[in-house]
């Protein structure tokens, strides 16, 4: 597969940001990868200057939401090499989302080769300061102009890059979570397990209301009984109750997180008692009352491992581990990061060195 590279002129390159104040997702690099789909085929990928798209106002993604995305990160190791964490798994998951949304699948190997080219070109944008990374956002949208509700025939796949710091303002410090009984994120048979834009649009109102009450994120319960824990706005969730590490199963309505999967793998290999099972919010609050709730933490690419310090549900607030980061969350954070930055052996072959 040929990749066309149209490099930006030297005087068009942006100034690099202060790596200690990156925030999340508001700074973009000099180049992007673009690949159009038409007539049943993906065209040749093009790497070009980061720029606006020209879209027909009737582009179907704008009306009916055929839009999917992924999130992964590039890490700068101590050896100055760039490391990627499970990148092909992200692209494979994108194909699952594409399938669910009646969008065309990509060729994982070819797209990964093009992504690596883009990253080689943008290597200088991968931050060096600890905790900062280059966030990679592969996206696909329906571009065909049309108001009929059906799968589009034209799409655009693109990858943009953003140097980022921690996703939450709290950094790795515990976040506070509001458990909503009023809204649901996804229903059985819906698109909850696809990484599609509409899932995030649907979550915003609950997040805004939670933030007004002083909480960082929303915890979603199942849509039928509003009883069982599903996931948090931008991450999967784990509980440590007694000696059991629990996370809700991939029931079809939650996102199959790669960090979730990596945490399951690590904790099982450490010999912990890890189970994927339904867990009701009442069980969590009962465990908090009787002193067996030891830890709660979220997992996600953007969020990494994010300890939860407090949960609010129906007017009751439970503190988790006195609002402090738990031992398991800390160990997972440290070990995952060390694997991601190429600082420790990677027995799982998760890491790709550029
Ligand atoms: C990620 O963790 O990469 C996500 O996609 C969550 C996000 C919407 C910031």
């Amino acid at each position: 597969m040929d990749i066309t590279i149209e490099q930006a002129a030297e005087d068009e390159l942006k100034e690099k940001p202060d790596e200690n104040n990156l925030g999340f997702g508001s700074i973009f690099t000099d180049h992007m990868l673009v690949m159009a789909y038409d007539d049943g085929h993906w065209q040749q990928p093009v790497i070009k200057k980061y720029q606006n798209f020209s879209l027909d106002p009737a582009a179907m993604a704008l009306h009916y939401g055929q839009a999917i995305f992924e999130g992964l990160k590039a890490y700068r190791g101590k050896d100055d090499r760039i490391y990627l964490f499970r990148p092909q798994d992200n692209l494979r998951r994108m194909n699952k989302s594409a399938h669910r949304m009646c969008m065309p699948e990509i060729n994982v190997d070819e797209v990964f080769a093009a992504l690596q080219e883009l990253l080689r070109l943008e290597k200088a944008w991968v931050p060096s300061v600890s905790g900062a990374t280059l966030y990679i956002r592969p996206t696909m949208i329906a571009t065909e102009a049309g108001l009929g509700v059906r799968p589009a025939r034209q799409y655009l796949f693109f990858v943009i890059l953003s140097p980022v710091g921690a996703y939450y303002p709290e950094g790795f410090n515990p976040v506070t979570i509001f458990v909503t009984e009023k809204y649901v994120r996804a229903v059985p048979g819906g698109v909850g397990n696809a990484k599609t834009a509409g899932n995030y649009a649907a979550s915003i109102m609950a997040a805004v209301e939670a933030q007004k009450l002083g909480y960082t994120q929303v915890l979603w319960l199942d849509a039928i009984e509003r009883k069982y824990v599903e996931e948090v706005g931008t991450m999967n969730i784990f509980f440590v109750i007694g000696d059991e590490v629990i996370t809700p199963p991939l029931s079809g309505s939650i996102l199959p997180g790669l960090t979730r999967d990596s945490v399951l793998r690590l904790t099982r290999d450490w010999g912990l008692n890890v189970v994927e099972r339904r867990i009701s919010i009442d069980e969590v609050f009962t465990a908090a009352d009787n002193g067996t709730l030891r830890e709660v933490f979220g997992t996600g690419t953007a969020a990494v491992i994010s300890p939860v310090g407090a949960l609010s549900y129906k007017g009751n607030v439970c503190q988790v581990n006195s609002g402090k980061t738990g031992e398991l969350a800390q160990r997972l954070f440290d070990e995952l990061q060390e694997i991601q930055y190429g600082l420790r052996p990677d027995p799982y072959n998760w890491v790709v060195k550029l």
Side-chain angles (χ1 to χ4, degrees):
M1 180 205 46
D2 286 333
I3 305 164
T4 304
I5 303 183
E6 298 164 5
Q7 229 167 302
E10 199 61 34
D11 63 355
E12 291 176 319
L13 300 182
K14 301 170 187 167
E15 222 171 273
K16 300 285 183 306
D18 170 7
E19 291 187 0
N20 292 301
N21 283 303
L22 292 171
F24 188 91
S26 53
I27 302 163
F28 299 96
T29 70
D30 294 307
H31 296 89
M32 62 184 184
L33 169 70
V34 180
M35 187 171 74
Y37 179 92
D38 194 11
D39 218 8
H41 302 283
W42 285 108
Q43 323 276 303
Q44 186 172 317
V46 181
I47 291 174
K48 57 179 172 182
K49 195 177 135 185
Y50 187 98
Q51 58 193 268
N52 289 350
F53 293 132
S54 162
L55 274 187
D56 193 294
M60 290 167 81
L62 303 178
H63 298 268
Y64 306 127
Q66 268 188 303
I68 56 175
F69 67 93
E70 273 301 319
L72 62 156
K73 285 174 171 171
Y75 308 80
R76 185 181 294 278
K78 282 220 164 77
D79 55 1
D80 215 28
R81 296 281 299 268
I82 305 304
Y83 293 81
L84 299 169
F85 186 69
R86 307 184 65 174
Q88 294 103 323
D89 285 338
N90 277 97
L91 297 177
R92 284 191 268 269
R93 186 174 66 179
M94 186 164 209
N95 275 343
K96 289 196 178 133
S97 300
H99 177 75
R100 179 63 183 84
M101 301 303 288
C102 288
M103 298 167 80
E105 294 185 17
I106 50 170
N107 180 315
V108 169
D109 293 337
E110 291 184 3
V111 167
F112 184 46
L115 171 62
Q116 289 182 84
E117 279 303 318
L118 174 67
L119 290 167
R120 277 186 203 107
L121 187 62
E122 301 291 67
K123 182 177 173 194
W125 283 91
V126 183
S128 313
V129 307
S130 155
T133 54
L134 187 68
Y135 187 76
I136 304 168
R137 174 52 65 89
T139 310
M140 194 196 298
I141 56 171
T143 49
E144 183 187 343
L147 297 183
V149 180
R150 57 167 173 78
R153 286 177 289 240
Q154 289 162 347
Y155 294 87
L156 196 63
F157 169 86
F158 57 93
V159 182
I160 53 174
L161 307 173
S162 174
V164 298
Y167 184 73
Y168 297 122
E170 289 89 342
F172 179 59
N173 297 316
V175 294
T176 56
I177 302 253
F178 185 79
V179 185
T180 178
E181 345 152 38
K182 188 166 154 199
Y183 303 106
V184 295
R185 176 184 173 274
V187 295
V191 293
N193 57 355
K195 206 160 171 65
T196 184
N199 282 336
Y200 295 82
S203 75
I204 291 173
M205 185 172 236
V208 168
E209 289 184 12
Q211 275 150 21
K212 276 195 196 135
L213 296 170
Y215 293 89
T216 316
Q217 276 282 326
V218 171
L219 175 68
W220 302 102
L221 300 179
D222 77 280
I224 306 292
E225 296 178 68
R226 304 217 180 172
K227 181 173 168 190
Y228 294 100
V229 171
E230 297 248 301
E231 65 177 85
V232 177
T234 55
M235 53 190 192
N236 295 114
I237 186 114
F238 284 75
F239 301 88
V240 185
I241 299 181
D243 72 349
E244 201 179 24
V245 182
I246 308 155
T247 196
L250 298 179
S251 56
S253 56
I254 72 173
L255 193 81
L258 291 172
T259 313
R260 172 190 182 278
D261 184 69
S262 308
V263 162
L264 285 173
R265 196 67 198 273
L266 284 172
T267 48
R268 282 182 179 139
D269 285 1
W270 294 343
L272 302 182
N273 176 16
V274 194
V275 285
E276 291 171 82
R277 68 161 172 86
R278 294 182 101 188
I279 173 165
S280 70
I281 192 65
D282 291 334
E283 179 180 347
V284 174
F285 273 71
T286 303
D289 281 347
N290 67 25
T292 53
L293 179 67
R294 291 167 47 205
E295 286 190 47
V296 181
F297 57 86
T299 63
T301 299
V304 197
I305 302 292
S306 198
V308 174
L311 288 163
S312 165
Y313 176 56
K314 288 190 175 166
N316 297 319
V317 177
C318 81
Q319 286 270 322
V320 185
N321 194 33
S322 317
K324 296 203 199 75
T325 298
E327 211 177 293
L328 181 60
Q330 186 69 56
R331 180 175 179 200
L332 282 164
F333 181 84
D334 293 342
E335 295 218 8
L336 252 187
Q337 291 250 299
E338 283 173 19
I339 293 176
Q340 289 165 337
Y341 281 88
L343 295 172
R344 68 160 59 223
D346 166 27
Y348 311 103
N349 283 325
W350 283 336
V351 167
V352 176
K353 200 171 179 176
L354 212 62

